[in-house]
Amino acid sequence: MRARREGSAVRQASAGRQVPGRARAARGPGRALRRAVAVGAGAALYAGVYERTAYTLRRREVPVLAPGRPDLRVLHLSDLHVTPNQRGKFAWLSDLARLVPDLVVLTGDVLSYPQAQAPLIAALEPLFAFPGLFVPGNNDYYTPTLRSPHHYLRRDSAPTRRGVSLDWDGFALALTTASGWQELTNRRASMKIAGRVLDLRGVDDARLRRDRTALVAGPPEPGAEVALGLTHTPEPHVLDAFTADGVGLILSGHTHGGQIRLPYYGAIVTNCGIDRARAWGLSRHETGGRSSWLHVSAGLGTSPFAPLRFNCRPEATLLTLTGRR
């Protein structure tokens, strides 16, 4: 009888105590969740406070000229998405004149609000000492709008909601008047730099289906050292058309380099028809047995509704066009 009572007391005491292994197992999921939340909050703070304004100059060489020819230096800007009070971005843009490029190229998504026009032109003024070219992007026609994030997870989600109309024509005229730069919206032109002729062509934004490649089609001008093609959105059909016509270098933006790039994976989405592997930087585009160099800029800004960058700093790129090896 006493043995049974003692055994019952032992069982009750054991039930009152928590086994250490079980306690650790119970605490494990909670700790993991807290760590995940802390890491996520830290990453969001880094992406939203530091990296989105960590403006970076990148340098790339593009072997696109005839062998032995002198280099050409092209400063590629894209996706500025400026708002009126971005003083740090304006100062950084002005300082780029120290690079003394042979040519400045701006591939769209310049403004986020009409009030940013005057301060942006003032910030770009030091670069007006050099020849320049520009085309519009989809956000140069309408102010940005808040969209559900799931739209950006689709490879090619056409815009379904548009903000207030922007006066792109008025801005383009003001920029041309102030700078002498050439607008290449569905246009072709040629330019002589340091005694060398460049064949130039550009299209309106392909995301809004305003591109008219037929208007700029055809082989490069006779005697042109290199043909450059400008398109804000690197849609494959535009890249195909430029490449088939013998364009040596295509300059583009729009993707923001993915804007959020995961380690060992890269861009999550491109927001257009191009593949993730070529959403940022220098690559080759091939079609019909011909190939062109393609440079997709990660750009300098973000939408006001998605002010984050992770593992993809805002950038301008100095492209040095060199002789083919």
Side-chain angles (χ1 to χ4, degrees), residues 45-55 259 309-314:
L45 187 65
Y46 168 84
V49 175
Y50 173 72
E51 187 167 320
R52 73 181 177 89
T53 58
Y55 306 119
Q259 193 166 315
R309 278 184 178 266
F310 186 79
N311 199 26
C312 186
R313 291 188 176 191

XYZ file of all heavy atoms in Angstrom, residues 45-55 259 309-314:
155
model
N 14.919 47.791 -42.964
C 15.518 49.062 -42.547
C 16.725 49.391 -43.418
O 16.883 50.528 -43.876
C 15.914 48.978 -41.076
C 16.409 50.271 -40.425
C 15.275 51.290 -40.377
C 16.932 49.992 -39.021
N 17.569 48.392 -43.655
C 18.736 48.585 -44.513
C 18.322 48.983 -45.925
O 18.845 49.923 -46.512
C 19.569 47.302 -44.549
C 20.629 47.280 -45.612
C 21.870 47.869 -45.399
C 20.385 46.669 -46.846
C 22.841 47.858 -46.385
C 21.349 46.652 -47.834
C 22.579 47.244 -47.601
O 23.532 47.237 -48.591
N 17.348 48.246 -46.477
C 16.927 48.483 -47.856
C 16.226 49.819 -48.021
O 16.384 50.486 -49.052
C 16.007 47.348 -48.320
N 15.453 50.230 -47.007
C 14.667 51.441 -47.140
C 15.367 52.707 -46.705
O 15.049 53.790 -47.197
N 16.343 52.586 -45.812
C 17.017 53.770 -45.292
C 18.392 53.956 -45.921
O 18.751 55.060 -46.343
C 17.137 53.697 -43.757
C 17.943 54.876 -43.218
C 15.753 53.663 -43.121
N 19.174 52.891 -46.009
C 20.545 53.039 -46.499
C 20.672 52.776 -47.996
O 21.045 53.654 -48.770
C 21.490 52.118 -45.735
C 22.876 52.121 -46.333
C 23.718 53.222 -46.193
C 23.332 51.031 -47.082
C 24.974 53.245 -46.779
C 24.587 51.045 -47.655
C 25.405 52.146 -47.500
O 26.635 52.162 -48.090
N 20.354 51.558 -48.431
C 20.751 51.181 -49.791
C 20.043 51.977 -50.872
O 20.617 52.246 -51.918
C 20.540 49.678 -50.022
C 21.106 49.239 -51.371
C 21.227 47.738 -51.538
O 21.608 47.055 -50.581
O 20.929 47.263 -52.645
N 18.820 52.373 -50.665
C 18.100 53.074 -51.735
C 18.714 54.437 -52.046
O 18.439 55.021 -53.097
C 16.622 53.229 -51.387
C 16.299 54.238 -50.316
C 14.808 54.291 -50.042
N 14.478 55.211 -48.971
C 14.228 56.493 -49.156
N 14.279 57.012 -50.377
N 13.942 57.274 -48.135
N 19.551 54.976 -51.159
C 20.250 56.238 -51.432
C 21.774 56.052 -51.487
O 22.514 57.033 -51.445
C 19.910 57.297 -50.368
O 20.256 56.807 -49.070
C 18.426 57.635 -50.398
N 22.235 54.816 -51.586
C 23.670 54.536 -51.679
C 24.089 54.607 -53.148
O 24.441 53.599 -53.775
C 23.986 53.169 -51.075
N 24.041 55.800 -53.711
C 24.293 55.992 -55.137
C 25.711 55.539 -55.495
O 26.690 55.889 -54.826
C 24.091 57.452 -55.516
C 22.750 57.982 -55.099
C 22.647 59.044 -54.197
C 21.576 57.401 -55.559
C 21.413 59.528 -53.793
C 20.340 57.872 -55.165
C 20.261 58.935 -54.281
O 19.037 59.398 -53.866
N 15.621 45.417 -58.393
C 15.423 46.263 -57.215
C 15.654 45.502 -55.917
O 16.313 45.994 -55.010
C 14.040 46.915 -57.204
C 13.907 48.041 -56.183
C 12.673 48.902 -56.403
O 12.348 49.297 -57.512
N 11.965 49.190 -55.323
N 15.568 49.100 -51.833
C 16.522 48.394 -52.691
C 17.323 47.445 -51.807
O 17.743 47.828 -50.715
C 17.474 49.358 -53.405
C 16.892 49.991 -54.665
C 17.930 50.856 -55.361
N 17.422 51.435 -56.577
C 17.566 50.904 -57.786
N 18.228 49.774 -57.920
N 17.074 51.501 -58.842
N 17.499 46.237 -52.314
C 18.267 45.264 -51.541
C 19.208 44.523 -52.475
O 18.773 43.931 -53.467
C 17.339 44.264 -50.837
C 18.074 43.328 -49.919
C 18.469 43.738 -48.655
C 18.382 42.046 -50.330
C 19.156 42.880 -47.809
C 19.071 41.177 -49.493
C 19.460 41.588 -48.233
N 20.504 44.584 -52.142
C 21.529 43.936 -52.960
C 21.505 44.442 -54.396
O 21.830 43.720 -55.326
C 21.341 42.405 -52.931
C 22.582 41.644 -53.357
O 23.702 42.142 -53.217
N 22.395 40.457 -53.890
N 21.080 45.696 -54.582
C 20.955 46.275 -55.927
C 20.984 47.791 -55.796
O 19.970 48.462 -55.884
C 19.655 45.801 -56.579
S 19.485 46.304 -58.306
N 22.163 48.343 -55.576
C 22.287 49.765 -55.295
C 21.875 50.623 -56.488
O 22.046 50.215 -57.639
C 23.738 50.096 -54.920
C 24.162 49.521 -53.584
C 25.524 50.043 -53.182
N 25.896 49.578 -51.856
C 26.936 50.037 -51.173
N 27.711 50.972 -51.715
N 27.197 49.582 -49.963
N 21.349 51.808 -56.217
C 21.070 52.748 -57.319
C 22.375 53.152 -57.984
O 23.395 53.350 -57.310
C 20.402 53.930 -56.595
C 20.856 53.822 -55.175
C 21.035 52.371 -54.898
